[in-house]
Amino acid sequence: MKHKTLVLSAAVGLLAPVMAGCGDSGDGSDSGSAIVVGTTDHFTATKPNPAPFDPAFAYDTGSWNVLRQTLQTLTHVPRGGGVPVPEAASHCAFSNGNLTYSCTLRAGLKFANGDTLTAADVKYSLQRVLSIHDLNGAVGLLTNIADMDTSGRDIVFHLKSPDATFPYKLATPIAGIVNPKQYAPKKLRDGFEVDGSGPYTFKAEVKDNTLVKGTFTKNPTYKGDLKVQNNKVEMRVYPDAPAMGTALDKDDIDVMLRSMTPDQIKSLTDKPRKDINLTEMPGLEIRYIGFNTSAPIGKEKAIRQAMAYVVDRDKLINQVYGTTASPLYSNIPAGITGHTNSFFNQYGAQPSLSKAAQVLQSAGIHTPVKLTMNYTTDHYGAATAKEFQVLQSQFNDSKLFDVTIKGTPWKEFRPAETSGKYAVYGMGWFPDFPDPDSYVAPFFDKDNFLGSPYNNPQIRGQLIPKSRREADRGAASDTFGQIQDIVADDVPILPLWQGKQYVAARTDITGVEWAVDSSANYSLWELGKGTTTD
């Protein structure tokens, strides 16, 4: 899997402050007080979303970032990227043509409450996810497991088909190890409690079923591969990016995590501050329009193709995101091995209203096509509403479409999307792991993240399994190229743009360049407090 090192080491080369602050001479050690981070990720427990932090249910970037700090996994992707290395395990290896994956646990592992952690607990944790089989979660990452055997500190996974990406899947929170005493075998753990054997314990402060603050405290029983640089991190939730920015200005927080607005980023770039460093990193975040291919509007391939001809990515980015994003012409972004510009090749960089009209006319579809584009108001940042206003104007100005837009809070949007209530909707995606498979299977395989009815037999039955047989992931590039060409022709999703990652932090905070990666995964254990000098 040599491309992992190539892609991510190149990314790490860009993990540098956009501007120099006063400079710090700290060693990353915690001065004793909590490091306070701000986020605009919202966590609410509702009837359709009862268990925001249960690994069998959680499947969004914010929730996974809580779980990454608290639940231990057998493997993890090391600082700077590359192939997964043991974490709760001391050793892991493939055998039997990538059909068998065996791990040995570290000696002396314990849960934070002092209970011994065994290989049987690992099996229980993964079997629990498979048994609950909640499609709101990431169960699809584990459905290739045929059976698991345990003996002492050893666990052996028998796979249904060869899967070179399996070590990456074991590094995600869906494979987090839980204590059977605290997590029922076939029932979600409702609410905001999280217990595991990871680097931190977690305490939630909740108001009206919504998390307002989470405190991560160093777990004294933790044994693993991670080096914890602080004793405590406090995460405060803000309603929006401006409120989070005000908190930074008032010295209420030390770090601004996701998501900052394009205007905030531009301000900190154009007018550097001596007390704040802005760190920029390549991003693997993508945004796209999704289609319910069973809905009356979404099932019409000609409509989907016509929208691909009409959309103007350059104008969208210039009007909304500026230098923080770049046009995306594939479901697999630039920076991931196997990326091709399939949508560019089929539809071009500039809109073609004549070709869009021809596609609709040939299919006997009368214009303007009336449809509603749904988007979430509070999950992907403050600029989302403006983004959909611009997209609405683009489609309506073509005279081929009559588009209405509707914004909905994430707690309502996500259940409606997965249940098929939206024909056309806007979504974002951060990869589960930095591999092209993570931009294919979650959208087009069985039990996919979108709950999409789209099923291309060639992609699902032939190309995805073929790509997973390649231990050298670069060797799967041609297969992923075929997948991207099929997606560009069928348009089950319409990719729009790819974004960078930004973090603003006070100059006495160390480890920021390691604390957030290009996939927006947090490693809060990397943060420390140093001293500053002018």
Side-chain angles (χ1 to χ4, degrees):
M1 301 183 186
K2 61 185 180 183
H3 84 285
K4 288 294 194 311
T5 302
L6 174 64
V7 171
L8 292 182
S9 62
V12 168
L14 296 174
L15 280 168
V18 173
M19 52 198 160
C22 298
D24 68 77
S25 57
D27 61 0
S29 61
D30 186 17
S31 64
S33 60
I35 296 172
V36 184
V37 301
T39 181
T40 59
D41 287 325
H42 295 158
F43 310 96
T44 302
T46 63
K47 187 174 181 179
N49 181 40
F53 298 149
D54 190 317
F57 181 87
Y59 198 16
D60 63 83
T61 302
S63 295
W64 269 26
N65 275 327
V66 171
L67 298 180
R68 288 182 191 280
Q69 321 309 311
T70 50
L71 299 186
Q72 201 169 13
T73 50
L74 287 173
T75 62
H76 79 110
V77 176
R79 173 201 274 189
V83 298
V85 298
E87 214 297 72
S90 61
H91 173 77
C92 292
F94 270 117
S95 61
N96 191 27
N98 287 358
L99 273 171
T100 303
Y101 193 69
S102 304
C103 292
T104 299
L105 293 181
R106 295 176 186 269
L109 288 179
K110 293 183 178 181
F111 291 105
N113 69 351
D115 289 348
T116 299
L117 191 159
T118 68
D121 295 322
V122 178
K123 178 180 179 179
Y124 175 91
S125 300
L126 274 65
Q127 185 58 58
R128 175 177 179 270
V129 172
L130 291 168
S131 297
I132 292 175
H133 204 87
D134 195 307
L135 296 183
N136 287 290
V139 64
L141 294 177
L142 302 181
T143 51
N144 193 34
I145 297 174
D147 197 9
M148 294 174 276
D149 295 328
T150 62
S151 176
R153 288 164 41 212
D154 298 326
I155 181 165
V156 179
F157 299 93
H158 304 284
L159 305 182
K160 298 174 185 176
S161 59
D163 184 3
T165 71
F166 190 64
Y168 292 90
K169 294 172 181 176
L170 288 182
T172 65
I174 190 70
I177 305 167
V178 300
N179 190 332
K181 294 180 181 179
Q182 297 166 318
Y183 291 81
K186 295 184 179 181
K187 183 179 182 299
L188 293 173
R189 187 178 185 182
D190 294 353
F192 298 93
E193 290 184 307
V194 186
D195 293 282
S197 59
Y200 295 103
T201 60
F202 180 76
K203 182 178 180 181
E205 183 176 315
V206 179
K207 182 179 180 180
D208 297 329
N209 293 320
T210 298
L211 184 77
V212 295
K213 184 173 73 174
T215 302
F216 299 93
T217 302
K218 187 176 180 179
N219 176 11
T221 70
Y222 170 71
K223 289 186 177 181
D225 194 52
L226 307 175
K227 304 298 185 289
V228 184
Q229 302 296 325
N230 59 70
N231 290 325
K232 185 177 291 186
V233 176
E234 183 180 295
M235 181 180 71
R236 298 181 186 176
V237 179
Y238 291 91
D240 51 40
M244 182 170 60
T246 299
L248 186 71
D249 292 338
K250 294 170 61 178
D251 205 16
D252 289 340
I253 61 175
D254 299 302
V255 183
M256 286 177 68
L257 295 174
R258 61 186 301 266
S259 296
M260 300 171 63
T261 67
D263 287 342
Q264 287 175 321
I265 294 165
K266 186 176 187 301
S267 176
L268 287 171
T269 303
D270 293 346
K271 299 176 181 179
R273 290 172 50 173
K274 288 186 176 182
D275 60 332
I276 301 294
N277 281 333
L278 179 68
T279 301
E280 174 189 298
M281 60 206 76
L284 297 178
E285 172 190 12
I286 68 170
R287 296 286 177 85
Y288 58 94
I289 295 172
F291 297 95
N292 177 355
T293 54
S294 292
I297 291 292
K299 73 179 181 182
E300 296 290 347
K301 181 176 177 178
I303 292 177
R304 305 195 303 265
Q305 289 181 327
M307 292 179 73
Y309 275 121
V310 170
V311 70
D312 191 329
R313 295 171 177 83
D314 288 326
K315 283 188 176 180
L316 172 65
I317 291 169
N318 288 338
Q319 293 179 31
V320 183
Y321 293 103
T323 59
T324 67
S326 56
L328 180 62
Y329 295 95
S330 171
N331 51 291
I332 299 176
I336 292 288
T337 295
H339 163 79
T340 62
N341 287 314
S342 297
F343 276 80
F344 178 92
N345 297 336
Q346 179 147 345
Y347 302 100
Q350 300 302 316
S352 176
L353 303 188
S354 60
K355 291 181 179 179
Q358 184 178 359
V359 166
L360 294 171
Q361 184 177 11
S362 297
I365 296 173
H366 298 291
T367 58
V369 177
K370 290 188 176 183
L371 60 90
T372 298
M373 287 197 303
N374 294 271
Y375 67 93
T376 176
T377 56
D378 58 357
H379 194 67
Y380 296 120
T384 306
K386 184 177 180 182
E387 174 181 0
F388 275 81
Q389 291 167 7
V390 171
L391 287 170
Q392 179 188 32
S393 295
Q394 289 187 9
F395 290 122
N396 288 349
D397 289 349
S398 73
K399 307 302 182 184
L400 299 173
F401 295 93
D402 181 2
V403 173
T404 300
I405 59 174
K406 182 179 180 181
T408 307
W410 179 254
K411 65 181 180 181
E412 301 169 16
F413 176 91
R414 176 65 174 149
E417 181 272 314
T418 55
S419 63
K421 293 182 180 179
Y422 300 148
V424 186
Y425 52 89
M427 290 286 284
W429 180 251
F430 292 90
D432 300 327
F433 46 89
D435 185 275
D437 185 90
S438 195
Y439 291 93
V440 172
F443 303 134
F444 313 125
D445 206 357
K446 185 180 179 182
D447 295 331
N448 62 74
F449 160 73
L450 294 175
S452 172
Y454 173 75
N455 179 9
N456 182 284
Q458 187 178 4
I459 291 178
R460 189 175 291 185
Q462 301 174 28
L463 297 177
I464 291 178
K466 181 181 178 181
S467 72
R468 290 174 175 170
R469 289 193 288 270
E470 298 289 354
D472 178 354
R473 303 303 288 151
S477 292
D478 288 345
T479 302
F480 284 113
Q482 293 179 59
I483 292 173
Q484 289 166 92
D485 287 344
I486 293 170
V487 171
D489 184 61
D490 285 351
V491 202
I493 67 171
L494 176 55
L496 298 172
W497 57 267
Q498 175 178 349
K500 301 175 185 177
Q501 297 296 311
Y502 295 87
V503 179
R506 301 197 172 282
T507 52
D508 66 337
I509 300 298
T510 61
V512 175
E513 68 272 27
W514 303 113
V516 184
D517 67 15
S518 57
S519 300
N521 297 325
Y522 298 166
S523 301
L524 297 181
W525 55 85
E526 296 282 5
L527 294 174
K529 280 192 176 182
T531 58
T532 62
T533 57
D534 289 329

